[in-house]
Amino acid sequence: MSILTFFFFNLILLIHGSIVLSCNPIDRDSLLSFHHQISSSPPLNWSSSVAADDCCQWEGVSCTGDGDGLLRRVTRLWLPERSLAGAITDFSFLANLSSLSHLNLSGNRISGAFPSLFPHSIKILDLSSNRFNGTVDSLSLRRRGLNLIAFNISNNSFSGAIPSSICSASPFLETLDFSMNQFTGRIYHGLGECSQLQILRAGFNSISGWLPNDLYSIRTLKEISLCNNQFSGPIDGRISLFSNLTILELHVNEFTGEIPNNIGLLSKLEQLQFHTNSLNGTLPHSLTDLSNLNTLLLRNNHFAGEISVLDFSKLQKLQAIDLGNNTFTGKVPDSLCLCRSLTALRLAYNKLTGEIPPCMSSLKSLSHFSISDNYLSNVAGALKILRHCENLAVLFMSRCFSDEPMPDDNDLLNLSGFENLQILTLGGCKLEGRIPFWISKLRRIKVLNLSYNKISGPIPKWLGNMPSMFVLNLTKNFLTGDLPYEITLLPSLISDNTSSDLSHLALPFLFDSLQYNRLFNLPRGLKVGNNSLSGNIPEEIGRLKLLRVLDLSNNNFNGGIPHQLSGLVNLERLDMSGNHLSGKIPESLTELNFLSYFNVANNDLEGEIPRKGQFDTFTADDFEGNPKLCGYLLRRNCTITGQDNNVDTNEEEEEENEGSWYNVPFGLGYFVGLFAVTISLLLINGSWISFRK
Ligand SMILES: *[C@@H]1O[C@H](CO)[C@@H](O)[C@H](O)[C@H]1NC(C)=O
Ligand SMILES: *[C@@H]1O[C@H](CO)[C@@H](O)[C@H](O)[C@H]1NC(C)=O
Ligand SMILES: *[C@@H]1O[C@H](CO)[C@@H](O)[C@H](O)[C@H]1NC(C)=O
Ligand SMILES: *[C@@H]1O[C@H](CO)[C@@H](O)[C@H](O)[C@H]1NC(C)=O
Ligand SMILES: *[C@@H]1O[C@H](CO)[C@@H](O)[C@H](O)[C@H]1NC(C)=O
Ligand SMILES: *[C@@H]1O[C@H](CO)[C@@H](O)[C@H](O)[C@H]1NC(C)=O
Ligand SMILES: *[C@@H]1O[C@H](CO)[C@@H](O)[C@H](O)[C@H]1NC(C)=O
Ligand SMILES: *[C@@H]1O[C@H](CO)[C@@H](O)[C@H](O)[C@H]1NC(C)=O
Ligand SMILES: *[C@@H]1O[C@H](CO)[C@@H](O)[C@H](O)[C@H]1NC(C)=O
Ligand SMILES: *[C@@H]1O[C@H](CO)[C@@H](O)[C@H](O)[C@H]1NC(C)=O
Ligand SMILES: *[C@@H]1O[C@H](CO)[C@@H](O)[C@H](O)[C@H]1NC(C)=O
Ligand SMILES: *[C@@H]1O[C@H](CO)[C@@H](O)[C@H](O)[C@H]1NC(C)=O
């Protein structure tokens, strides 16, 4: 055999081989029909000449190992997160891929309606995180004989009713995920036919009505997640039949009634989230039999009764418990101290009484504790106990104690502990006394709120020496003396070496998004309003250039407004109202580009109100109660020196001219003013963007 013949023989084998391995042309045409309807970048290599015919070699396509005759069939189309975009208007290709078992188009930007037909072979269908919309035509699913095991259409824009009939079409389903769409209405009978279902998710829709009766017949369920809908009615005692359940999320709905007494039978349960419903009654004792529980969230309901009668000691895996915003009574249960894994404990907004139990000092993992808005006593005792929780980072105790002495250095002699405390709130407790020196030992404190107490005496100089503090809230107390110069040295308000980002402290599951934002996006701020502070505003305060909120209102500050305040380049709110400040408003304040709130009402200021920058957005209310201030905003002309003797005439003329002030908007002034506002807004936006990028 010559070399040439050998070569040709092999070539023929090669060509023949490629034919043997190539894909069924029906499948190839089907895939091409799909391909024509979408775009992708980088492009799929489906039309590359190397294997233009053999669709089994295309990206994301898998075929049967053996040929069907000579031709292999497509079994998987697996193209998640592949930047596919476009509207699929013709889904007929899908039905023609008659051996397709896996279809995953998750995380693309494909729009269109739900496919009307599927091949019988389909087992895994994942269309999640796309832009599909319209109803899920249950007719297409109702045909018996589908073999779906997993069905995920979450995070699209599907509407209409949940297609319960999918279960009669595909009785072997194990996973159903309808979450994050716009499904409405109630769930009708049908899901019960999914007798092997393990995961059911339909959260973040607008589904209403009671849980369907036949849901309770699906004993195989491991996860039920129906949060953030409008489900109503009771949580049935039959829920205890889900003996393999590990996750039960029914939060943010309108469920009523009590937690079933037999909930304790769910012995595998790890997460129980019933928060933000209208549940009532007392907590069943069996709840504390759930020894695998790590998360128990019951806040924002109408639960009542003594919580101290519950024995939490079996909950050795419990990490987070939130009983906040109910009407629980009694003491903080001692048995909680035995939950060794506890990192977050929230009991805020209840009617608890008594003292913090001494045993809480043994909670070494505890990092968040909120007991705000209760009726406890002995704040000094509480601090003495909690300081031993060496991981405690967040301690909310506002409006929890009332009319007690501010724990002083005798109470907390040689304070040690609180090594990790970063947020301490003790506001609204009507605590009496001085700002105690032990606070100076909280070296990691970032946020300190002592507002709404009866604290008297001076603001101590050492407060200016707290290395990480960027929110100091002393609003509404009886503080006297001046604002110490040392406060203008607060390192975390001067340079950004400590992050103001508290998000690492936030435990999202503990808070609603609103509270979450309120608590953990705190702007760097200095608030000493509503006290009896006096003296000048120290000009060095202009150094605190990271400050976003400065509240000096309702004190007895006098002297001028330091022009150095223009150094507070990040300032958004500046309140100096209700003092005895005199002199002019410094022109330099017009340079504060982020200033959206400014108030100097009720002082002794004089001269013309600056008219530039953000000052064009402030209103007359922000300046009222300063008889000697003048300018456009106050409709009071600025008297030119040497015309003082004409004051009366001027006033008369002013009154006569009032009409012309009103008329200004329709004259040239209006357009000049509008222009100025527009330009300054543009500048603000521009600088905001460039600054924040
Ligand atoms: C197409 O891309 C896939 C994945 O990147 C690769 O495995 C395959 O070999 C490519 N096929 C061709 C014909 O280039
Ligand atoms: C689809 O692909 C995504 C991304 O790889 C993956 O996370 C997901 O689990 C897949 N879907 C199914 C049902 O396996
Ligand atoms: C599906 O198959 C039918 C019959 O074989 C054919 O007429 C139709 O064109 C095919 N559709 C697509 C999109 O390939
Ligand atoms: C459904 O898909 C989303 C991603 O798009 C994923 O986060 C989710 O876990 C999937 N659901 C199930 C039950 O696997
Ligand atoms: C929802 O889909 C969008 C777009 O594909 C994606 O950016 C987002 O991360 C998805 N959200 C979740 C929770 O999966
Ligand atoms: C689906 O989205 C398309 C635009 O992508 C829109 O034209 C159509 O009206 C939507 N259909 C439904 C039922 O919302
Ligand atoms: C619960 O899970 C176990 C172990 O995975 C399994 O053997 C058992 O059949 C399940 N029970 C039900 C009712 O599905
Ligand atoms: C709980 O609420 C239901 C109505 O939703 C009411 O009938 C029942 O009396 C309430 N139970 C308690 C203990 O308040
Ligand atoms: C307490 O829960 C109710 C709903 O039960 C809610 O309306 C209210 O805002 C919550 N209050 C707080 C302080 O979270
Ligand atoms: C407190 O510290 C001082 C000096 O640091 C020491 O003399 C005193 O004994 C300590 N008191 C207690 C109760 O530890
Ligand atoms: C300061 O405390 C007051 C009253 O408790 C509160 O309204 C305000 O939001 C607090 N400000 C900051 C920055 O913590
Ligand atoms: C007030 O100022 C306006 C514009 O400068 C001027 O036209 C008007 O005569 C002034 N009125 C008085 C009373 O000075």
Side-chain angles (χ1 to χ4, degrees), residues 460-501:
K461 296 188 193 325
W462 49 256
L463 269 181
N465 188 22
M466 305 289 289
S468 308
M469 189 154 67
F470 61 80
V471 175
L472 176 58
N473 192 344
L474 301 174
T475 306
K476 193 106 174 79
N477 277 290
F478 302 140
L479 296 166
T480 52
D482 49 15
L483 188 65
Y485 158 81
E486 284 76 6
I487 294 290
T488 70
L489 301 173
L490 268 171
S492 295
L493 292 175
I494 294 175
S495 62
D496 219 347
N497 47 19
T498 46
S499 167
S500 75
D501 182 14

Side-chain angles (χ1 to χ4, degrees), residues 637 649-651 653-654 657 661:
N637 265 14
T649 337
N650 276 346
E651 266 172 17
E653 278 182 32
E654 224 173 71
N657 275 323
W661 282 112

Side-chain angles (χ1 to χ4, degrees), residues 53-69:
D53 274 342
D54 186 5
C55 70
C56 297
Q57 293 187 43
W58 295 353
E59 181 185 349
V61 178
S62 311
C63 297
T64 47
D66 302 325
D68 171 9

Side-chain angles (χ1 to χ4, degrees), residues 26 29-30 33 90 92-93 96:
I26 299 176
D29 289 349
S30 303
S33 161
D90 177 8
S92 65
F93 71 87
N96 279 9

Side-chain angles (χ1 to χ4, degrees), residues 106-107 126 128-129 152-155 175-177 199 201:
S106 168
D126 191 342
S128 63
S129 295
N152 191 345
I153 56 169
S154 69
N155 196 11
T175 301
L176 270 179
D177 194 339
I199 301 181
R201 293 187 196 161

